[in-house]
Amino acid sequence: MSAPLVRPRNHRMIAGVCAGLAERFGTSRTTMRVLFLLSCLLPGPQFVLYIALWILMPSEGSPRAAAKAW
């Protein structure tokens, strides 16, 4: 079973979005961060998506994250 999509409490740089996505998809945190930075060179709503995920992804250990685990 795959890991839940949550922002971890440790290994955060800014909000933990890249670290959470890396854990969920089984890649390293550094790889996910580099991919995000490279995507910022392309036109598109990358920063808006990052902020939306920051708001929508529950933090690890929060009641919302515990409810999603079921």
Side-chain angles (χ1 to χ4, degrees):
M1 186 168 173
S2 61
L5 186 59
V6 295
R7 294 181 297 120
R9 289 193 181 270
N10 50 0
H11 306 296
R12 289 183 176 186
M13 287 293 242
I14 298 175
V17 173
C18 289
L21 289 173
E23 285 181 17
R24 172 66 172 89
F25 294 111
T27 63
S28 73
R29 293 178 299 271
T30 304
T31 303
M32 190 62 70
R33 291 174 183 140
V34 168
L35 287 174
F36 174 73
L37 288 175
L38 289 175
S39 75
C40 290
L41 298 175
L42 301 171
Q46 290 85 347
F47 292 112
V48 174
L49 181 64
Y50 188 91
I51 292 171
L53 286 173
W54 188 352
I55 293 168
L56 296 174
M57 283 175 63
S59 184
E60 184 177 55
S62 72
R64 233 174 77 189
K68 279 191 158 191
W70 288 93

